[in-house]
Amino acid sequence: MYAYDPQLIILGGSVRHAYDFFQETMWQQIKTFAYTKSAERIRIETSDLQNSGILVQRLLYYDAQ
């Protein structure tokens, strides 16, 4: 988040299944970032799609064309 200021991060694939286990620790780390406004605004969601990684790769591929 230091090089890029996203408004939303979407976790997909197997990471989304483990989100409950690392969510609290992740937010504790995000709150230590130097850019406090970015840390306050960021949203983190989990995807309900089964193959979200493949779909994102396709979108990036077609966007690069």
Side-chain angles (χ1 to χ4, degrees):
M1 287 181 29
Y2 287 110
Y4 182 69
D5 185 20
Q7 295 176 359
L8 173 66
I9 296 174
I10 301 173
L11 302 175
S14 59
V15 174
R16 70 184 169 108
H17 296 296
Y19 184 58
D20 290 336
F21 296 107
F22 66 84
Q23 177 181 6
E24 184 177 334
T25 304
M26 181 186 61
W27 279 107
Q28 288 172 355
Q29 291 299 310
I30 289 173
K31 290 177 183 177
T32 67
F33 286 174
Y35 303 107
T36 55
K37 292 292 182 190
S38 294
E40 292 170 2
R41 288 192 306 254
I42 188 75
R43 288 182 27 225
I44 300 177
E45 304 286 337
T46 56
S47 173
D48 292 332
L49 298 174
Q50 289 296 105
N51 298 316
S52 59
I54 294 170
L55 295 173
V56 170
Q57 290 172 0
R58 283 185 179 173
L59 289 172
L60 291 173
Y61 172 78
Y62 287 115
D63 188 45
Q65 299 298 318

